[in-house]
Amino acid sequence: MPRYFTRSFTLSQETHYNRAKMSLQQALSWYSSFQRHGRYRPSMELQAAVRSELQTLKGALDKLERKVICIAAFGLVSRGKSAVLNGLLGEKVLDTGPIHGVTKYPKSIHWAIADKVQIELIDTPGLDEIDGQMRATMAREVAYQADLILFIVAGDITRTEYEALCELRAYQKPLLLVFNKTDLYPDCDREIIYQQLQQLGTGKEEDKKLQALLSPQEIVMTAAAPAPFPVRVEWPDGRVSQEWETPDPQIDPLREKILEILNREGRTLLALNALVQGREAEKKLAGKTVELRQKEAEETIWSYAKYKALAVALNPIPILDVIVGTLADLALIRALARLYGFPMTSYEAGKVWRKILLSSGSLLLGELGSSFLLGIGKTTAVGGLEGSATLTTWLSAATIQGGLAGYGAYAVGKVAQRYLEAGCTWGEAGPNTVIAEILSRVEPNAIVYRLRNEIGLHL
Protein backbone atom coordinates (compact mmCIF):
# COMPACT_ATOMS: atom_id res chain seq x y z
CA MET A 1 0.00 0.00 0.00
CA PRO A 2 1.33 3.47 -0.79
CA ARG A 3 2.32 5.64 2.12
CA TYR A 4 0.75 9.07 1.87
CA PHE A 5 2.20 12.31 3.12
CA THR A 6 2.40 12.07 6.89
CA ARG A 7 4.16 15.33 7.73
CA SER A 8 3.24 18.88 6.92
CA PHE A 9 5.61 20.99 4.86
CA THR A 10 8.21 22.75 6.98
CA LEU A 11 8.20 26.48 7.49
CA SER A 12 11.35 26.81 5.37
CA GLN A 13 9.67 25.06 2.45
CA GLU A 14 6.71 27.41 2.71
CA THR A 15 9.10 30.37 2.80
CA HIS A 16 10.96 29.10 -0.27
CA TYR A 17 7.69 28.63 -2.11
CA ASN A 18 6.36 32.09 -1.26
CA ARG A 19 9.64 33.84 -2.13
CA ALA A 20 9.75 32.10 -5.52
CA LYS A 21 6.15 33.04 -6.21
CA MET A 22 6.80 36.69 -5.32
CA SER A 23 9.90 36.76 -7.54
CA LEU A 24 8.04 35.51 -10.63
CA GLN A 25 5.06 37.79 -9.96
CA GLN A 26 7.39 40.78 -9.73
CA ALA A 27 9.15 39.85 -12.98
CA LEU A 28 5.87 39.49 -14.83
CA SER A 29 4.66 42.80 -13.43
CA TRP A 30 7.82 44.57 -14.60
CA TYR A 31 7.88 43.20 -18.09
CA SER A 32 4.13 43.31 -18.64
CA SER A 33 4.18 47.01 -17.69
CA PHE A 34 7.05 47.51 -20.12
CA GLN A 35 4.92 45.98 -22.85
CA ARG A 36 2.01 48.35 -22.18
CA HIS A 37 3.39 51.66 -20.98
CA GLY A 38 6.39 53.93 -21.00
CA ARG A 39 7.86 56.64 -23.14
CA TYR A 40 9.74 54.08 -25.21
CA ARG A 41 7.03 51.73 -26.38
CA PRO A 42 8.36 48.38 -27.62
CA SER A 43 8.47 47.88 -31.36
CA MET A 44 6.56 45.06 -33.01
CA GLU A 45 9.90 43.34 -33.57
CA LEU A 46 10.78 43.52 -29.88
CA GLN A 47 7.32 42.38 -28.79
CA ALA A 48 7.59 39.35 -31.06
CA ALA A 49 11.16 38.60 -29.93
CA VAL A 50 10.33 38.46 -26.22
CA ARG A 51 6.90 36.83 -26.46
CA SER A 52 8.23 33.32 -25.83
CA GLU A 53 10.19 34.49 -22.75
CA LEU A 54 7.09 36.13 -21.29
CA GLN A 55 5.15 32.92 -21.91
CA THR A 56 7.88 30.97 -20.13
CA LEU A 57 7.62 33.30 -17.12
CA LYS A 58 3.84 32.93 -17.06
CA GLY A 59 4.11 29.14 -17.41
CA ALA A 60 6.60 28.89 -14.54
CA LEU A 61 4.37 30.99 -12.28
CA ASP A 62 1.27 29.00 -13.26
CA LYS A 63 2.99 25.68 -12.49
CA LEU A 64 4.16 27.09 -9.17
CA GLU A 65 0.71 28.37 -8.21
CA ARG A 66 -0.95 25.06 -9.13
CA LYS A 67 1.72 23.25 -7.07
CA VAL A 68 2.45 20.75 -9.85
CA ILE A 69 5.60 18.66 -9.29
CA CYS A 70 6.80 16.96 -12.47
CA ILE A 71 8.65 13.65 -12.24
CA ALA A 72 10.11 12.54 -15.57
CA ALA A 73 11.42 9.07 -16.43
CA PHE A 74 14.40 8.77 -18.78
CA GLY A 75 16.43 5.85 -20.05
CA LEU A 76 17.29 3.76 -23.07
CA VAL A 77 14.79 1.48 -24.81
CA SER A 78 13.64 -1.68 -23.02
CA ARG A 79 14.75 -0.51 -19.58
CA GLY A 80 11.18 -0.53 -18.27
CA LYS A 81 10.40 3.20 -17.97
CA SER A 82 6.69 2.76 -18.68
CA ALA A 83 6.52 -0.28 -16.41
CA VAL A 84 8.09 1.66 -13.54
CA LEU A 85 5.55 4.46 -13.89
CA ASN A 86 2.70 1.94 -14.14
CA GLY A 87 4.00 0.37 -10.93
CA LEU A 88 3.93 3.74 -9.17
CA LEU A 89 0.40 4.38 -10.43
CA GLY A 90 -0.75 0.91 -9.34
CA GLU A 91 -2.37 0.18 -12.69
CA LYS A 92 -1.37 -0.28 -16.31
CA VAL A 93 -1.97 3.13 -17.84
CA LEU A 94 1.05 3.27 -20.15
CA ASP A 95 1.61 0.74 -22.93
CA THR A 96 4.47 -1.70 -22.45
CA GLY A 97 5.76 -4.56 -24.54
CA PRO A 98 8.78 -6.53 -25.78
CA ILE A 99 9.13 -4.41 -28.94
CA HIS A 100 11.61 -1.53 -28.75
CA GLY A 101 10.21 1.96 -28.81
CA VAL A 102 6.67 1.41 -27.52
CA THR A 103 6.67 5.00 -26.20
CA LYS A 104 6.75 7.26 -29.26
CA TYR A 105 6.37 10.65 -27.57
CA PRO A 106 6.28 12.07 -24.02
CA LYS A 107 3.14 11.16 -22.09
CA SER A 108 1.92 12.82 -18.92
CA ILE A 109 -0.15 11.10 -16.22
CA HIS A 110 -1.54 12.48 -12.97
CA TRP A 111 -0.43 10.55 -9.88
CA ALA A 112 -3.08 10.96 -7.19
CA ILE A 113 -1.03 10.17 -4.10
CA ALA A 114 -0.52 13.50 -2.32
CA ASP A 115 -2.86 16.16 -1.01
CA LYS A 116 -0.23 18.90 -0.58
CA VAL A 117 0.87 19.03 -4.21
CA GLN A 118 -0.12 17.65 -7.58
CA ILE A 119 2.25 15.08 -9.05
CA GLU A 120 2.67 14.64 -12.77
CA LEU A 121 4.52 11.58 -14.08
CA ILE A 122 6.08 11.96 -17.53
CA ASP A 123 7.12 9.01 -19.69
CA THR A 124 9.64 9.67 -22.45
CA PRO A 125 10.86 7.78 -25.54
CA GLY A 126 14.09 5.81 -25.31
CA LEU A 127 17.14 8.02 -25.69
CA ASP A 128 18.75 5.64 -28.19
CA GLU A 129 15.81 4.97 -30.51
CA ILE A 130 15.86 5.24 -34.29
CA ASP A 131 15.23 8.83 -35.39
CA GLY A 132 16.33 9.71 -31.89
CA GLN A 133 17.45 13.28 -32.55
CA MET A 134 13.89 14.58 -32.54
CA ARG A 135 13.05 12.52 -29.49
CA ALA A 136 16.21 13.70 -27.74
CA THR A 137 15.04 17.27 -28.32
CA MET A 138 11.69 16.41 -26.74
CA ALA A 139 13.50 14.75 -23.86
CA ARG A 140 15.51 17.91 -23.23
CA GLU A 141 12.32 19.95 -23.15
CA VAL A 142 10.84 17.52 -20.62
CA ALA A 143 13.99 17.65 -18.49
CA TYR A 144 13.73 21.45 -18.45
CA GLN A 145 10.24 21.19 -16.96
CA ALA A 146 10.97 18.33 -14.55
CA ASP A 147 11.41 18.86 -10.82
CA LEU A 148 12.76 15.35 -10.27
CA ILE A 149 14.30 12.94 -12.80
CA LEU A 150 14.16 9.14 -12.69
CA PHE A 151 16.94 7.63 -14.79
CA ILE A 152 16.12 3.96 -15.32
CA VAL A 153 18.74 1.32 -16.05
CA ALA A 154 18.54 -2.48 -16.13
CA GLY A 155 22.00 -3.68 -15.17
CA ASP A 156 25.46 -2.30 -15.82
CA ILE A 157 25.44 1.24 -17.20
CA THR A 158 26.44 1.45 -20.86
CA ARG A 159 28.52 4.23 -22.36
CA THR A 160 25.39 5.70 -23.97
CA GLU A 161 23.59 5.75 -20.63
CA TYR A 162 26.57 7.34 -18.94
CA GLU A 163 26.71 10.11 -21.55
CA ALA A 164 22.95 10.67 -21.17
CA LEU A 165 23.41 11.02 -17.40
CA CYS A 166 26.13 13.61 -17.95
CA GLU A 167 23.83 15.56 -20.28
CA LEU A 168 20.99 15.50 -17.76
CA ARG A 169 23.36 16.98 -15.15
CA ALA A 170 23.36 20.20 -17.17
CA TYR A 171 19.75 20.83 -16.14
CA GLN A 172 20.66 20.99 -12.44
CA LYS A 173 17.80 18.73 -11.43
CA PRO A 174 17.74 16.16 -8.60
CA LEU A 175 18.02 12.65 -9.96
CA LEU A 176 17.24 9.12 -8.78
CA LEU A 177 19.01 6.23 -10.49
CA VAL A 178 16.53 3.35 -10.70
CA PHE A 179 18.06 -0.12 -11.13
CA ASN A 180 15.07 -1.96 -12.67
CA LYS A 181 14.51 -5.64 -13.58
CA THR A 182 16.44 -6.82 -10.53
CA ASP A 183 14.40 -10.04 -10.64
CA LEU A 184 16.44 -11.15 -13.67
CA TYR A 185 19.70 -11.21 -11.68
CA PRO A 186 20.82 -13.66 -8.98
CA ASP A 187 21.43 -12.05 -5.61
CA CYS A 188 25.21 -12.12 -6.01
CA ASP A 189 25.16 -10.47 -9.45
CA ARG A 190 22.62 -7.92 -8.28
CA GLU A 191 24.88 -6.87 -5.41
CA ILE A 192 27.92 -6.56 -7.70
CA ILE A 193 25.99 -4.34 -10.14
CA TYR A 194 24.66 -2.23 -7.28
CA GLN A 195 28.19 -1.68 -5.99
CA GLN A 196 29.31 -0.68 -9.50
CA LEU A 197 26.47 1.83 -9.71
CA GLN A 198 27.57 3.29 -6.38
CA GLN A 199 31.05 3.81 -7.81
CA LEU A 200 29.68 5.47 -10.93
CA GLY A 201 32.22 7.59 -12.76
CA THR A 202 35.17 7.76 -10.37
CA GLY A 203 37.89 7.80 -13.02
CA LYS A 204 37.92 11.45 -14.08
CA GLU A 205 37.50 14.76 -12.30
CA GLU A 206 34.27 15.57 -14.16
CA ASP A 207 32.98 12.08 -13.34
CA LYS A 208 33.43 12.75 -9.64
CA LYS A 209 30.95 15.59 -9.93
CA LEU A 210 28.43 13.18 -11.37
CA GLN A 211 29.10 10.68 -8.59
CA ALA A 212 28.54 13.44 -6.02
CA LEU A 213 25.00 13.84 -7.34
CA LEU A 214 24.35 10.10 -7.22
CA SER A 215 25.13 8.94 -3.73
CA PRO A 216 23.96 5.45 -2.67
CA GLN A 217 20.88 7.10 -1.18
CA GLU A 218 19.77 8.10 -4.70
CA ILE A 219 20.09 4.58 -6.18
CA VAL A 220 16.90 2.51 -5.89
CA MET A 221 16.35 -1.12 -6.87
CA THR A 222 13.03 -2.20 -8.42
CA ALA A 223 11.36 -4.95 -10.42
CA ALA A 224 8.44 -3.07 -11.97
CA ALA A 225 7.24 -5.93 -14.19
CA PRO A 226 8.79 -9.16 -12.91
CA ALA A 227 9.12 -11.95 -15.44
CA PRO A 228 6.76 -14.90 -14.94
CA PHE A 229 8.30 -18.16 -13.76
CA PRO A 230 7.14 -21.79 -14.10
CA VAL A 231 5.43 -23.48 -11.14
CA ARG A 232 4.92 -27.24 -10.82
CA VAL A 233 1.31 -28.09 -9.92
CA GLU A 234 0.31 -31.51 -8.56
CA TRP A 235 -3.40 -32.26 -8.87
CA PRO A 236 -5.46 -34.55 -6.53
CA ASP A 237 -5.91 -37.09 -9.33
CA GLY A 238 -2.17 -37.50 -9.64
CA ARG A 239 -1.71 -35.31 -12.69
CA VAL A 240 1.29 -32.98 -12.76
CA SER A 241 1.27 -29.77 -14.81
CA GLN A 242 3.26 -26.60 -15.18
CA GLU A 243 1.80 -23.10 -14.86
CA TRP A 244 3.30 -19.65 -15.07
CA GLU A 245 3.07 -17.23 -12.19
CA THR A 246 3.89 -13.53 -12.27
CA PRO A 247 5.28 -12.10 -9.02
CA ASP A 248 3.98 -8.84 -7.64
CA PRO A 249 5.91 -5.75 -8.76
CA GLN A 250 8.70 -4.66 -6.42
CA ILE A 251 8.11 -0.93 -6.63
CA ASP A 252 7.66 0.08 -3.00
CA PRO A 253 11.32 1.17 -2.45
CA LEU A 254 11.01 3.71 -5.26
CA ARG A 255 7.59 4.91 -4.12
CA GLU A 256 8.87 5.35 -0.57
CA LYS A 257 11.95 7.24 -1.76
CA ILE A 258 9.90 9.64 -3.89
CA LEU A 259 7.45 10.33 -1.08
CA GLU A 260 10.32 10.86 1.37
CA ILE A 261 11.84 13.48 -0.95
CA LEU A 262 8.53 15.24 -1.54
CA ASN A 263 7.75 15.29 2.17
CA ARG A 264 11.14 16.74 3.00
CA GLU A 265 11.67 19.19 0.15
CA GLY A 266 8.84 19.02 -2.38
CA ARG A 267 8.01 22.72 -2.42
CA THR A 268 11.68 23.65 -2.34
CA LEU A 269 12.23 21.62 -5.53
CA LEU A 270 9.17 23.25 -7.07
CA ALA A 271 10.39 26.73 -6.11
CA LEU A 272 13.93 26.19 -7.40
CA ASN A 273 12.80 24.81 -10.74
CA ALA A 274 10.40 27.72 -11.28
CA LEU A 275 13.12 30.22 -10.35
CA VAL A 276 15.67 28.63 -12.70
CA GLN A 277 13.15 28.78 -15.54
CA GLY A 278 12.32 32.38 -14.65
CA ARG A 279 16.01 33.30 -14.47
CA GLU A 280 16.73 31.90 -17.93
CA ALA A 281 13.65 33.61 -19.39
CA GLU A 282 14.63 36.97 -17.88
CA LYS A 283 18.21 36.65 -19.15
CA LYS A 284 17.01 35.95 -22.68
CA LEU A 285 14.42 38.72 -22.47
CA ALA A 286 17.02 41.23 -21.30
CA GLY A 287 19.55 40.09 -23.91
CA LYS A 288 17.09 40.42 -26.77
CA THR A 289 15.96 43.83 -25.55
CA VAL A 290 19.53 45.12 -25.32
CA GLU A 291 20.35 43.72 -28.76
CA LEU A 292 17.30 45.18 -30.51
CA ARG A 293 17.72 48.59 -28.87
CA GLN A 294 21.47 48.79 -29.33
CA LYS A 295 21.31 51.65 -31.85
CA GLU A 296 19.05 53.79 -29.63
CA ALA A 297 21.25 53.03 -26.62
CA GLU A 298 24.42 54.09 -28.43
CA GLU A 299 22.78 57.35 -29.49
CA THR A 300 21.67 57.99 -25.90
CA ILE A 301 25.13 57.28 -24.47
CA TRP A 302 26.91 59.50 -26.99
CA SER A 303 24.38 62.27 -26.48
CA TYR A 304 24.93 62.34 -22.72
CA ALA A 305 28.69 62.01 -23.18
CA LYS A 306 28.75 65.08 -25.45
CA TYR A 307 26.55 67.16 -23.12
CA LYS A 308 28.62 66.19 -20.09
CA ALA A 309 31.88 67.03 -21.90
CA LEU A 310 30.53 70.40 -22.98
CA ALA A 311 29.18 71.27 -19.53
CA VAL A 312 32.46 70.38 -17.81
CA ALA A 313 34.54 72.19 -20.42
CA LEU A 314 32.56 75.44 -20.03
CA ASN A 315 32.28 75.36 -16.24
CA PRO A 316 35.15 77.20 -14.46
CA ILE A 317 34.62 75.72 -10.95
CA PRO A 318 36.23 72.26 -10.34
CA ILE A 319 33.81 71.09 -7.63
CA LEU A 320 30.88 71.91 -9.89
CA ASP A 321 32.49 69.77 -12.61
CA VAL A 322 32.29 66.76 -10.30
CA ILE A 323 28.70 67.51 -9.27
CA VAL A 324 27.52 68.15 -12.83
CA GLY A 325 29.37 65.06 -14.08
CA THR A 326 27.80 62.83 -11.43
CA LEU A 327 24.30 64.15 -12.14
CA ALA A 328 24.85 63.60 -15.87
CA ASP A 329 25.94 59.99 -15.25
CA LEU A 330 22.88 59.32 -13.09
CA ALA A 331 20.61 60.85 -15.72
CA LEU A 332 22.24 58.65 -18.39
CA ILE A 333 21.62 55.49 -16.36
CA ARG A 334 18.00 56.48 -15.79
CA ALA A 335 17.57 57.13 -19.52
CA LEU A 336 18.98 53.70 -20.38
CA ALA A 337 16.77 51.99 -17.81
CA ARG A 338 13.72 53.71 -19.32
CA LEU A 339 14.85 52.83 -22.83
CA TYR A 340 15.15 49.13 -22.01
CA GLY A 341 12.25 49.05 -19.59
CA PHE A 342 14.42 47.30 -16.99
CA PRO A 343 14.07 48.00 -13.26
CA MET A 344 17.04 49.58 -11.49
CA THR A 345 17.66 47.18 -8.60
CA SER A 346 20.21 47.54 -5.83
CA TYR A 347 22.49 45.02 -7.56
CA GLU A 348 23.23 47.00 -10.70
CA ALA A 349 22.82 50.34 -8.91
CA GLY A 350 25.72 49.48 -6.60
CA LYS A 351 27.91 48.26 -9.46
CA VAL A 352 27.24 51.31 -11.62
CA TRP A 353 27.62 53.69 -8.67
CA ARG A 354 31.18 52.47 -8.21
CA LYS A 355 31.81 53.25 -11.87
CA ILE A 356 30.36 56.74 -11.38
CA LEU A 357 32.66 57.34 -8.42
CA LEU A 358 35.58 56.20 -10.57
CA SER A 359 34.46 58.55 -13.34
CA SER A 360 34.14 61.46 -10.88
CA GLY A 361 37.52 60.68 -9.41
CA SER A 362 39.07 60.66 -12.87
CA LEU A 363 37.47 64.00 -13.60
CA LEU A 364 38.85 65.50 -10.38
CA LEU A 365 42.29 64.09 -11.15
CA GLY A 366 41.96 65.61 -14.61
CA GLU A 367 41.34 69.00 -13.03
CA LEU A 368 44.43 68.64 -10.86
CA GLY A 369 46.53 67.19 -13.66
CA SER A 370 45.69 69.91 -16.16
CA SER A 371 46.44 72.53 -13.54
CA PHE A 372 49.82 70.94 -12.83
CA LEU A 373 50.80 70.45 -16.49
CA LEU A 374 49.61 73.84 -17.66
CA GLY A 375 50.57 75.64 -14.49
CA ILE A 376 47.06 77.02 -14.23
CA GLY A 377 43.46 75.86 -14.14
CA LYS A 378 40.26 77.11 -15.75
CA THR A 379 39.32 79.16 -12.71
CA THR A 380 42.61 81.00 -12.63
CA ALA A 381 42.55 81.44 -16.38
CA VAL A 382 39.21 83.15 -16.17
CA GLY A 383 40.16 85.46 -13.36
CA GLY A 384 43.92 85.92 -13.44
CA LEU A 385 45.35 86.17 -16.95
CA GLU A 386 44.74 88.39 -19.92
CA GLY A 387 44.99 88.15 -23.68
CA SER A 388 45.80 85.16 -25.86
CA ALA A 389 47.59 83.30 -23.05
CA THR A 390 44.36 83.23 -21.10
CA LEU A 391 42.37 81.83 -23.99
CA THR A 392 45.01 79.23 -24.85
CA THR A 393 45.31 78.03 -21.28
CA TRP A 394 41.57 77.92 -20.78
CA LEU A 395 41.00 75.99 -24.02
CA SER A 396 43.74 73.48 -23.14
CA ALA A 397 42.33 72.82 -19.65
CA ALA A 398 38.75 72.72 -20.93
CA THR A 399 39.67 70.26 -23.70
CA ILE A 400 41.43 67.87 -21.32
CA GLN A 401 38.70 67.98 -18.72
CA GLY A 402 35.86 67.85 -21.24
CA GLY A 403 37.48 64.86 -22.94
CA LEU A 404 37.85 63.04 -19.62
CA ALA A 405 34.24 63.85 -18.72
CA GLY A 406 32.94 62.60 -22.07
CA TYR A 407 34.95 59.39 -21.89
CA GLY A 408 33.79 58.85 -18.30
CA ALA A 409 30.14 59.22 -19.34
CA TYR A 410 30.60 56.77 -22.21
CA ALA A 411 32.28 54.24 -19.87
CA VAL A 412 29.47 54.62 -17.33
CA GLY A 413 26.88 54.11 -20.08
CA LYS A 414 28.51 50.89 -21.33
CA VAL A 415 28.80 49.53 -17.78
CA ALA A 416 25.17 50.46 -17.13
CA GLN A 417 24.14 48.48 -20.22
CA ARG A 418 25.84 45.33 -18.91
CA TYR A 419 24.54 45.61 -15.37
CA LEU A 420 21.02 46.56 -16.41
CA GLU A 421 20.98 43.40 -18.51
CA ALA A 422 22.39 41.21 -15.73
CA GLY A 423 20.69 43.00 -12.85
CA CYS A 424 17.16 41.98 -13.87
CA THR A 425 17.78 38.61 -12.22
CA TRP A 426 19.10 40.12 -8.97
CA GLY A 427 17.59 42.72 -6.67
CA GLU A 428 15.68 41.93 -3.49
CA ALA A 429 13.27 39.53 -5.21
CA GLY A 430 15.29 38.65 -8.31
CA PRO A 431 15.46 34.92 -9.13
CA ASN A 432 19.22 34.73 -8.56
CA THR A 433 18.83 36.37 -5.15
CA VAL A 434 16.06 33.99 -4.09
CA ILE A 435 17.91 30.94 -5.47
CA ALA A 436 20.97 31.93 -3.44
CA GLU A 437 18.79 32.31 -0.31
CA ILE A 438 17.23 28.86 -0.75
CA LEU A 439 20.54 27.10 -1.45
CA SER A 440 22.11 28.68 1.63
CA ARG A 441 19.36 27.26 3.86
CA VAL A 442 18.80 23.70 2.59
CA GLU A 443 19.63 20.89 5.00
CA PRO A 444 22.63 18.64 4.27
CA ASN A 445 20.37 15.58 4.00
CA ALA A 446 18.27 17.17 1.26
CA ILE A 447 18.64 15.86 -2.29
CA VAL A 448 18.95 19.44 -3.52
CA TYR A 449 21.90 20.03 -1.18
CA ARG A 450 24.23 18.29 -3.63
CA LEU A 451 22.92 20.53 -6.40
CA ARG A 452 23.81 23.81 -4.73
CA ASN A 453 27.18 24.10 -6.48
CA GLU A 454 25.71 23.10 -9.83
CA ILE A 455 22.98 25.74 -9.64
CA GLY A 456 25.35 28.23 -8.01
CA LEU A 457 27.65 28.16 -11.06
CA HIS A 458 25.01 30.19 -12.88
CA LEU A 459 24.57 32.85 -10.19
Side-chain angles (χ1 to χ4, degrees), residues 54-196:
L54 286 173
Q55 289 300 322
T56 298
L57 278 172
K58 291 177 182 176
L61 179 59
D62 179 65
K63 180 174 177 291
L64 190 63
E65 289 180 332
R66 292 188 296 114
K67 302 181 181 68
V68 179
I69 291 181
C70 293
I71 302 175
F74 289 92
L76 305 191
V77 294
S78 299
R79 298 308 193 262
K81 298 185 299 296
S82 300
V84 167
L85 297 186
N86 283 335
L88 291 174
L89 292 166
E91 57 181 317
K92 187 174 180 179
V93 176
L94 299 166
D95 293 333
T96 60
I99 301 175
H100 286 190
V102 173
T103 302
K104 301 297 183 184
Y105 50 87
K107 298 178 181 178
S108 175
I109 313 99
H110 179 67
W111 188 19
I113 198 170
D115 56 356
K116 299 291 184 181
V117 293
Q118 299 183 57
I119 302 177
E120 184 180 4
L121 300 178
I122 304 176
D123 194 15
T124 63
L127 297 174
D128 58 339
E129 291 185 55
I130 298 174
D131 195 22
Q133 184 58 45
M134 181 180 66
R135 291 182 179 128
T137 300
M138 288 192 293
R140 285 193 293 270
E141 293 174 354
V142 172
Y144 182 69
Q145 295 291 333
D147 302 292
L148 176 66
I149 290 174
L150 308 179
F151 193 86
I152 299 169
V153 299
D156 289 329
I157 286 185
T158 67
R159 185 64 189 174
T160 302
E161 287 173 318
Y162 181 74
E163 290 173 354
L165 270 171
C166 291
E167 291 176 4
L168 287 171
R169 261 190 69 243
Y171 297 99
Q172 303 114 37
K173 302 297 176 67
L175 188 148
L176 294 179
L177 185 62
V178 182
F179 175 16
N180 191 33
K181 301 187 179 183
T182 55
D183 59 299
L184 301 181
Y185 299 88
D187 289 345
C188 58
D189 292 345
R190 190 187 314 169
E191 184 60 30
I192 291 173
I193 292 174
Y194 179 67
Q195 291 175 0
Q196 290 173 342

Side-chain angles (χ1 to χ4, degrees), residues 14-312:
E14 193 67 28
T15 301
H16 298 164
Y17 174 83
N18 289 331
R19 288 282 286 153
K21 185 176 176 180
M22 181 179 68
S23 176
L24 294 178
Q25 287 174 336
Q26 174 182 273
L28 274 174
S29 175
W30 279 342
Y31 298 121
S32 295
S33 297
F34 168 51
Q35 291 284 307
R36 294 192 304 267
H37 306 296
R39 177 181 174 185
Y40 301 96
R41 291 178 180 272
S43 64
M44 295 296 293
E45 182 184 11
L46 178 55
Q47 290 185 30
V50 302
R51 186 173 295 121
S52 62
E53 281 69 37
L54 286 173
Q55 289 300 322
T56 298
L57 278 172
K58 291 177 182 176
L61 179 59
D62 179 65
K63 180 174 177 291
L64 190 63
E65 289 180 332
R66 292 188 296 114
K67 302 181 181 68
V68 179
I69 291 181
C70 293
I71 302 175
F74 289 92
L76 305 191
V77 294
S78 299
R79 298 308 193 262
K81 298 185 299 296
S82 300
V84 167
L85 297 186
N86 283 335
L88 291 174
L89 292 166
E91 57 181 317
K92 187 174 180 179
V93 176
L94 299 166
D95 293 333
T96 60
I99 301 175
H100 286 190
V102 173
T103 302
K104 301 297 183 184
Y105 50 87
K107 298 178 181 178
S108 175
I109 313 99
H110 179 67
W111 188 19
I113 198 170
D115 56 356
K116 299 291 184 181
V117 293
Q118 299 183 57
I119 302 177
E120 184 180 4
L121 300 178
I122 304 176
D123 194 15
T124 63
L127 297 174
D128 58 339
E129 291 185 55
I130 298 174
D131 195 22
Q133 184 58 45
M134 181 180 66
R135 291 182 179 128
T137 300
M138 288 192 293
R140 285 193 293 270
E141 293 174 354
V142 172
Y144 182 69
Q145 295 291 333
D147 302 292
L148 176 66
I149 290 174
L150 308 179
F151 193 86
I152 299 169
V153 299
D156 289 329
I157 286 185
T158 67
R159 185 64 189 174
T160 302
E161 287 173 318
Y162 181 74
E163 290 173 354
L165 270 171
C166 291
E167 291 176 4
L168 287 171
R169 261 190 69 243
Y171 297 99
Q172 303 114 37
K173 302 297 176 67
L175 188 148
L176 294 179
L177 185 62
V178 182
F179 175 16
N180 191 33
K181 301 187 179 183
T182 55
D183 59 299
L184 301 181
Y185 299 88
D187 289 345
C188 58
D189 292 345
R190 190 187 314 169
E191 184 60 30
I192 291 173
I193 292 174
Y194 179 67
Q195 291 175 0
Q196 290 173 342
L197 294 178
Q198 288 179 303
Q199 299 300 317
L200 178 66
T202 57
K204 301 178 182 178
E205 188 62 33
E206 58 267 26
D207 296 343
K208 292 179 181 179
K209 295 179 182 178
L210 178 59
Q211 184 191 22
L213 297 179
L214 289 171
S215 72
Q217 287 70 39
E218 276 76 61
I219 302 174
V220 186
M221 303 173 75
T222 64
F229 60 89
V231 176
R232 175 187 171 92
V233 180
E234 296 182 359
W235 299 92
D237 59 6
R239 289 183 300 111
V240 177
S241 64
Q242 181 176 282
E243 296 182 357
W244 291 85
E245 284 191 7
T246 301
D248 293 332
Q250 301 171 29
I251 202 72
D252 282 349
L254 178 59
R255 181 186 289 112
E256 294 293 319
K257 173 59 70 174
I258 291 173
L259 292 178
E260 174 192 334
I261 292 171
L262 296 186
N263 263 317
R264 186 179 60 220
E265 52 194 302
R267 287 202 182 183
T268 298
L269 293 178
L270 188 59
L272 278 174
N273 191 31
L275 288 167
V276 168
Q277 290 183 34
R279 174 179 67 186
E280 297 308 310
E282 288 192 60
K283 283 182 178 179
K284 290 179 181 179
L285 193 153
K288 288 179 179 180
T289 303
V290 168
E291 181 181 355
L292 290 173
R293 288 200 156 157
Q294 184 63 30
K295 181 179 178 181
E296 295 169 88
E298 285 291 328
E299 291 175 353
T300 299
I301 292 172
W302 277 114
S303 176
Y304 274 84
K306 287 186 290 186
Y307 288 137
K308 178 181 176 181
L310 183 62
V312 169

